[in-house]
Amino acid sequence: MRHKLILVLILVLATFLRFYKLGSLPNSYTPDELAQGYTAYSIIQTGQDEWGSQNWLNLRSFGDYKPPLQTLLMIPSIKIFGLTPFAVRLPNAILAVVTIFITYLIAHNLFHQPSISLLSSLFMAVSPWSLPMSRIALEANLVVFVVSLALLLFITSLKNRQLFLFSISAVLFGLSLFTYHSAKIFTPVLLVILFFYFSLYKHKKYLISLIIIFGSFFSFNFYLNSQIKSDRTGDIAIFNPTDKWQYVSNSQYEIRQNGLQPQLSRVLYNKVTYLYETFFHHYFSYLSPQFLATNGAGETTYGMIPGYGVLGLIPAIGFVFALIYLIKFPPKSDPSKSLLLLLVIFLISPAIGAIAKGQYSANRVSLMMPFIQIFSAAGLVLFLNQVPKKFSPILSLIFTFTFILTTGTFLARYFYQSNQILAHGMLYGHQQANEYLQNHPADKIIYSRKLSEPQAYVAFFNQINPKIIQSESVNWLDYETSHLMFLDQLGEYKLDKFIFKEINIPSDSQIPNTIIVGRPEEFRDVKPDHIIYYPDHSRQQPAIYIYHTKI
């Protein structure tokens, strides 16, 4: 009974942390979450997305064709609460709390130790990784819920010999393919691991059910992807370097200039060696102390606070203890066998993240979250069980005190400073700019393309009638015929009285009764009529300039 009470308290804490000021903290909004929210709004109003398409499973958005499940889950909350940031973020917050309960149940099924299960759920509840991601509308958070629930039902159904429950698990694994792009690799690899770990070849009915159900989802998802003209995945992959392999060419040239034979230089350093180095550098960066324990995510774009490891100090220590336990006790039986399963599962995600450009992208490896948290919690508990009893209370007290201190520090910074920390990365100022425009009518509004998918912010905060956008979006398709990746790469496009393009002050300032909105560096030799500042209390730094033409 005491364990159940503690679990309830953890879930209450998790709920509070995820719902407190949900719509306004952070008070910056990514174009992804608002674009998905508006797509859901358009479907509610017209049955079509903003491009006039009735295919709800291939949603173009601003050219990146986001997986559809997140957008579709927003429909009920937007229907109830209207097109607001709170409504857009609500489904993610709810599912994040449920994921914490699922984490508890997975840990319980694997270890049957209440202390491990409770600690796993507590780590997830206050995680510097899970908490920020669950407070904005991210597909990376949704996929964690779906895969975790699928795995829980998979384990439970095999243990209790329930074919129907197993079939539901297979459906959820299939649905994960429609949540986030990384699941298209992660889920099939995970199923292969589960196939061998649980000796699924001995359960023919279950295996046939999995092949038919998941195979159907996989085939359908593959078919839908084949209809998409966008190459978003190829654009962000290390196989397509931004510099078009110039770094490799320059390196080969330098090597030759320093005396190595040309043929040998091409053998020793080429595209293959570059990809090998880049992949493993990225891969191990996601398992580094910097990522897990100290610095955390390398960007604030998706709501993460830099300077805090994605695990936190005490879970990171538990992570090390779990590795030591695995080395000391071979995985022939539990708990080592369960630790090995968790280790193999969470080692999949860094491989997927390593294929993409950039490092320390916590969202790309989000599927590590529940499994590495359970792994860390188990390591900590198993370590304390191994130490002499006279030292166990002292160590428990030290770990508890340190955990409370580090968690309290993180929570204080997140809830009382994240609006300042995240403002640049999450493009602060769009909401304030559009509120200003609503109170200052003009014949035309020039909105800079440099403000990153500005049409998403304009459509959302002005709640523009979807039928207007559907009529305008016919012309937006020029971005596709011009072989561009995203809509805002198009030279100029329009929405009602809004014109999205790069600002040219000498010519744009000559257009009568026009308001110009853009970055401060785009305004030269003119004084803005209104400045939107980043929400820093210690200094004033402009985020957006607004200028009224004087003609």
Side-chain angles (χ1 to χ4, degrees):
M1 183 64 185
R2 184 168 65 92
H3 294 129
K4 291 181 179 179
L5 177 60
I6 295 173
L7 176 61
V8 169
L9 292 175
I10 291 172
L11 293 176
V12 169
L13 173 65
T15 303
F16 174 77
L17 293 177
R18 280 153 182 79
F19 282 82
Y20 176 70
K21 294 185 177 180
L22 179 61
S24 59
L25 199 160
N27 63 355
S28 306
Y29 309 94
T30 70
D32 296 272
E33 60 179 337
L34 298 191
Q36 290 181 87
Y38 188 83
T39 299
Y41 175 73
S42 179
I43 291 172
I44 293 170
Q45 298 293 320
T46 68
Q48 303 172 336
D49 69 5
E50 63 269 37
W51 297 85
S53 172
Q54 292 181 319
N55 183 355
W56 297 1
L57 298 180
N58 263 350
L59 299 172
R60 184 186 294 267
S61 191
F62 41 71
D64 56 345
Y65 284 93
K66 296 177 178 63
L69 195 55
Q70 169 105 326
T71 301
L72 298 179
L73 286 174
M74 292 178 183
I75 290 177
S77 61
I78 292 175
K79 184 76 173 175
I80 296 170
F81 298 104
L83 187 61
T84 64
F86 173 81
V88 167
R89 292 173 171 177
L90 180 61
N92 231 8
I94 294 172
L95 295 181
V97 175
V98 180
T99 302
I100 293 167
F101 180 58
I102 293 170
T103 302
Y104 170 88
L105 293 175
I106 292 174
H108 174 73
N109 275 275
L110 291 178
F111 295 100
H112 306 287
Q113 292 190 41
S115 54
I116 294 177
S117 305
L118 290 171
L119 196 58
S120 300
S121 59
L122 178 61
F123 282 172
M124 277 287 283
V126 297
S127 165
W129 196 353
S130 170
L131 177 59
M133 287 183 58
S134 59
R135 288 184 58 89
I136 58 179
L138 287 180
E139 300 121 313
N141 191 68
L142 172 62
V143 70
V144 174
F145 163 77
V146 176
V147 170
S148 299
L149 181 57
L151 179 62
L152 173 64
L153 296 182
F154 186 98
I155 295 171
T156 305
S157 61
L158 286 179
K159 187 178 294 184
N160 299 323
R161 297 289 188 270
Q162 295 179 328
L163 182 58
F164 177 73
L165 200 62
F166 183 87
S167 300
I168 296 176
S169 169
V171 169
L172 288 168
F173 278 126
L175 283 175
S176 73
L177 305 176
F178 297 86
T179 58
Y180 193 44
H181 292 302
S182 64
K184 297 169 187 177
I185 301 174
F186 182 93
T187 301
V189 175
L190 173 61
L191 288 174
V192 172
I193 292 169
L194 297 177
F195 171 82
F196 288 105
Y197 183 86
F198 290 98
S199 303
L200 203 56
Y201 48 84
K202 296 180 181 178
H203 310 279
K204 291 185 178 180
K205 288 184 179 180
Y206 292 82
L207 180 58
I208 292 171
S209 172
L210 179 64
I211 291 172
I212 293 174
I213 295 173
F214 182 76
S216 299
F217 276 94
F218 187 87
S219 301
F220 184 54
N221 185 262
F222 181 83
Y223 167 76
L224 288 175
N225 290 335
S226 69
Q227 306 301 305
I228 297 174
K229 296 180 181 180
S230 172
D231 189 26
R232 167 64 172 160
T233 304
D235 180 59
I236 65 171
I238 59 174
F239 311 110
N240 182 27
T242 306
D243 68 352
K244 305 299 181 185
W245 301 106
Q246 190 62 46
Y247 177 81
V248 175
S249 298
N250 291 343
S251 296
Q252 289 178 340
Y253 175 76
E254 294 290 345
I255 291 171
R256 290 195 300 270
Q257 291 302 304
N258 286 314
L260 192 65
Q261 292 295 323
Q263 294 83 356
L264 195 55
S265 72
R266 286 193 291 269
V267 171
L268 295 177
Y269 196 80
N270 49 50
K271 293 179 180 180
V272 174
T273 55
Y274 167 83
L275 292 174
Y276 164 83
E277 290 178 352
T278 304
F279 175 83
F280 282 101
H281 184 67
H282 287 184
Y283 183 88
F284 287 107
S285 72
Y286 289 114
L287 300 172
S288 66
Q290 290 82 3
F291 183 68
L292 297 178
T294 57
N295 297 337
E299 58 184 7
T300 58
T301 309
Y302 298 104
M304 303 289 291
I305 302 291
Y308 294 91
V310 293
L311 281 183
L313 180 59
I314 295 303
I317 292 173
F319 175 82
V320 175
F321 287 156
L323 291 176
I324 295 172
Y325 191 93
L326 265 177
I327 295 170
K328 187 176 179 181
F329 300 99
K332 295 180 181 179
S333 60
D334 284 331
S336 292
K337 192 176 179 182
S338 294
L339 282 176
L340 180 62
L341 174 63
L342 292 167
L343 176 65
V344 173
I345 290 175
F346 73 68
L347 287 179
I348 304 171
S349 278
I352 301 170
I355 297 172
K357 299 172 187 174
Q359 300 178 68
Y360 305 118
S361 298
N363 59 304
R364 288 177 181 161
V365 292
S366 63
L367 278 162
M368 292 174 67
M369 261 196 296
F371 311 112
I372 199 170
Q373 300 284 12
I374 298 172
F375 186 81
S376 300
L380 203 61
V381 172
L382 292 171
F383 168 77
L384 291 173
N385 290 341
Q386 293 290 315
V387 300
K389 288 187 177 180
K390 62 180 179 180
F391 296 120
S392 183
I394 298 173
L395 287 172
S396 298
L397 186 63
I398 293 172
F399 289 149
T400 301
F401 176 78
T402 306
F403 180 72
I404 292 173
L405 179 64
T406 54
T407 300
T409 303
F410 162 71
L411 293 176
R413 287 206 73 194
Y414 183 82
F415 284 101
Y416 292 97
Q417 201 181 357
S418 65
N419 281 342
Q420 287 72 42
I421 296 171
L422 302 175
H424 288 263
M426 292 187 65
L427 308 176
Y428 177 85
H430 280 284
Q431 182 179 23
Q432 292 75 14
N434 281 280
E435 288 173 352
Y436 179 90
L437 295 175
Q438 290 166 15
N439 295 318
H440 296 81
D443 292 338
K444 292 181 181 179
I445 299 171
I446 298 175
Y447 211 117
S448 174
R449 287 194 304 116
K450 291 186 177 181
L451 290 170
S452 187
E453 302 298 342
Q455 77 288 343
Y457 293 95
V458 167
F460 186 94
F461 287 119
N462 291 282
Q463 299 194 12
I464 292 178
N465 189 326
K467 291 184 178 180
I468 295 176
I469 298 187
Q470 288 165 3
S471 63
E472 296 277 11
S473 64
V474 175
N475 299 318
W476 293 0
L477 288 172
D478 289 346
Y479 90 91
E480 193 172 75
T481 57
S482 301
H483 306 290
L484 301 172
M485 191 67 61
F486 301 110
L487 174 59
D488 70 345
Q489 294 174 339
L490 196 62
E492 181 179 317
Y493 55 104
K494 299 178 180 179
L495 173 57
D496 198 19
K497 63 181 179 181
F498 289 86
I499 302 171
F500 305 104
K501 69 184 192 71
E502 289 192 12
I503 292 173
N504 185 325
I505 285 296
S507 59
D508 293 340
S509 61
Q510 302 304 308
I511 304 174
N513 196 24
T514 298
I515 297 178
I516 304 172
V517 182
R519 294 186 181 276
E521 62 268 21
E522 295 180 276
F523 293 79
R524 298 176 182 174
D525 303 323
V526 295
K527 183 180 179 181
D529 294 287
H530 184 71
I531 301 175
I532 296 169
Y533 293 95
Y534 286 111
D536 297 325
H537 297 300
S538 58
R539 58 175 180 166
Q540 276 199 329
Q541 183 180 0
I544 293 176
Y545 276 4
I546 299 177
Y547 175 77
H548 294 248
T549 60
K550 304 302 185 286
I551 297 177

